Amino acid sequence: MTFLSATLDRVKPSPTVALTGKVAALKAEGKDIIGLGAGEPDFDTPQNIKDAAVVAIALGKTKYTAVDGIAELKQAIVDKFKRDNDLEYTTAQVTVASGGKQILYNALMATLNEGDEVVIPAPYWVSYPDMVLLAGGTPVIAEASLQTGFKLTADQLEAAITDKTKWLIFNSPSNPTGAGYTREELKEITDVLMRHPQVHVMSDDMYEHLVYDGFEFCTPAQVEPCLYDRTLTVNGVSKAYSMTGWRIGYAAGPEELIKAMRKVQSQSTSNPCSISQYAALEALNGTQEFIEPNNELFKRRRDLVVDMLNAAEGIACPVPDGAFYVYPSIAGCIGKTSAGGAKIVDDAAFSNALLEETGVAVVFGAAFGLSPNFRVSYATSDEALKEACTRIQTFCAGLK
């Protein structure tokens, strides 16, 4: 009898978390490393949010709370969905957890049985397939390509759905590509879903507020109201409010599902951090004035990175609609050899050689389900981005 669960054989560690650890270790050794792998803003949490946390500590808000969130925060989430998305929920339809990842995991654990399928468009956030596997389901990967702007078409979705499909995991703007679905594109997706009443939608809207060039964000239940009872709309404070470490995610959906997710959470982590909840309350109810200036800064960084990567030999980098990632193709680099003698057989080899020879850390595309690509997070300083992209240009120029 083996000690470890066989379930672990079905999943792999998060590549993005592993890269972050490797970058930290190399820096600790004194190496000149520029890390472009972390999916978090480099801005500090706004002062009003930090002040709200300090006040909560001073008032003794340090005890257990309701399993899936304090009433005040749930009401703020209800108000947010009405204000931003024109979606009507009650507090009984809302759940709060320790980050968006826990929300997604709770939902999958609460609903999946052996044999249930979950359609996941690729490129995807690295954790989606493994969370499905941990919950006992089967991920069905539907590949979107550079030719479709990394967005799933209606025909591709139709082909991926079977009578075993229980969920579609939908993410716009996307991690890792930054691609966003227009209302018209999303309507084509929801039209497919209307023909398959057994399929529910898990809409990961974490990058909702990080959009550029006039892109108008919309979410599935907003575009197709008839999907309201089949949609879990997921969001959080990590990205727009620079609160990754505070660990607060939230969602709204059918009350039966929310109750089931609460049951899962009650026997795993119980309530999210009480102080973080009061900070999130201020994030949602307080000033939103910093979001637009932050977006302007992100847009400038996006344009810098896109321009410099497109100037690198063998790289083609599309312009994303939102988030803070680019997902360039390295098809023109495959089969070549680096100046340091590394054979570029795939995007993992490219990323490894890039780190070893130039000190630039990026995440290889296979981790996100689509190759040959790599992901760059441009949520870092202009100086670091310029230097990193210059090193990438030099690396690519040295490929023979």
Side-chain angles (χ1 to χ4, degrees):
M1 182 173 66
T2 60
F3 177 63
L4 296 179
S5 168
T7 301
L8 290 178
D9 294 334
R10 293 161 58 87
V11 301
K12 56 187 180 299
S14 167
T16 52
V17 172
L19 178 65
T20 300
K22 184 174 183 178
V23 167
L26 289 171
K27 285 183 176 180
E29 294 173 5
K31 302 287 180 61
D32 178 18
I33 305 296
I34 303 175
L36 302 180
E40 63 178 352
D42 58 323
F43 313 130
D44 192 13
T45 303
Q47 190 63 44
N48 64 304
I49 298 173
K50 294 192 290 185
D51 290 344
V54 172
V55 169
I57 293 171
L59 293 176
K61 305 290 188 180
T62 56
K63 308 298 183 184
Y64 292 129
T65 73
V67 166
D68 63 347
I70 59 175
E72 304 97 306
L73 179 54
K74 287 189 175 185
Q75 184 58 54
I77 292 164
V78 167
D79 296 341
K80 175 261 180 276
F81 279 124
K82 176 60 179 175
R83 177 179 69 241
D84 294 344
N85 311 115
D86 199 27
L87 291 173
E88 298 271 5
Y89 293 107
T90 67
T91 54
Q93 293 175 278
V94 170
T95 184
V96 183
S98 299
K101 181 178 284 190
Q102 188 181 18
I103 292 285
L104 299 170
Y105 186 70
N106 285 351
L108 294 168
M109 286 295 294
T111 58
L112 291 184
N113 298 305
E114 186 176 355
D116 288 342
E117 296 178 350
V118 178
V119 175
I120 303 173
Y124 47 69
W125 180 45
V126 294
S127 292
Y128 291 150
D130 290 290
M131 286 194 288
V132 170
L133 290 167
L134 280 170
T138 302
V140 175
I141 308 304
E143 276 195 10
S145 66
L146 180 62
Q147 288 67 40
T148 62
F150 298 125
K151 290 180 276 191
L152 194 68
T153 67
D155 288 343
Q156 288 173 313
L157 176 59
E158 186 73 61
I161 292 174
T162 73
D163 58 1
K164 296 180 180 180
T165 306
K166 183 167 279 186
W167 285 102
L168 163 68
I169 298 182
F170 180 80
N171 179 214
S172 171
S174 159
N175 175 6
T177 68
Y181 289 70
T182 65
R183 180 175 289 268
E184 293 74 21
E185 290 167 337
L186 185 49
K187 184 63 168 63
E188 292 179 1
I189 295 296
T190 59
D191 284 348
V192 173
L193 295 169
M194 290 301 295
R195 296 195 290 271
H196 298 277
Q198 86 279 13
V199 182
H200 292 69
V201 188
M202 195 176 295
S203 184
D204 182 351
D205 297 351
M206 194 62 69
Y207 297 92
E208 169 185 6
H209 293 300
L210 301 176
V211 294
Y212 317 113
D213 302 326
F215 179 85
E216 294 186 10
F217 172 84
C218 51
T219 194
Q222 179 183 18
V223 170
E224 179 47 79
C226 290
L227 287 175
Y228 176 87
D229 291 329
R230 292 160 50 195
T231 302
L232 182 69
T233 304
V234 183
N235 214 312
V237 297
S238 293
K239 310 301 182 178
Y241 300 96
S242 301
M243 294 177 67
T244 50
W246 298 80
R247 307 309 303 136
I248 294 292
Y250 59 83
E255 190 169 347
E256 179 185 21
L257 172 59
I258 298 300
K259 286 180 179 178
M261 293 168 63
R262 183 184 305 130
K263 183 185 292 188
V264 172
Q265 189 158 306
S266 73
Q267 296 294 6
S268 54
T269 61
S270 195
N271 66 271
C273 172
S274 61
I275 302 306
S276 294
Q277 289 188 65
Y278 285 97
L281 177 64
E282 173 62 22
L284 295 180
N285 285 346
T287 179
Q288 310 292 300
E289 292 179 353
F290 56 85
I291 292 178
E292 190 56 38
N294 286 356
N295 280 5
E296 286 299 317
L297 181 55
F298 277 138
K299 179 181 181 299
R300 189 184 74 223
R301 292 173 175 176
R302 179 203 67 175
D303 293 343
L304 182 157
V305 169
V306 169
D307 288 347
M308 291 191 71
L309 290 181
N310 277 325
E313 295 179 36
I315 290 181
C317 184
V319 181
D321 303 299
F324 37 68
Y325 310 107
V326 293
Y327 198 66
S329 166
I330 57 163
C333 301
I334 299 299
K336 296 183 178 181
T337 302
S338 73
K343 187 73 172 178
I344 309 301
V345 295
D346 54 25
D347 47 39
F350 178 95
S351 299
N352 287 335
L354 184 68
L355 178 58
E356 293 293 332
E357 297 180 29
T358 74
V360 175
V362 299
V363 187
F364 60 95
F368 305 101
L370 189 73
S371 297
N373 298 77
F374 64 92
R375 190 193 76 172
V376 165
S377 168
Y378 52 85
T380 190
S381 70
D382 290 32
E383 293 73 19
L385 292 172
K386 288 177 183 176
E387 176 61 23
C389 289
T390 298
R391 294 184 192 182
I392 293 171
Q393 290 175 346
T394 303
F395 177 82
C396 289
L399 296 176
K400 303 298 182 186

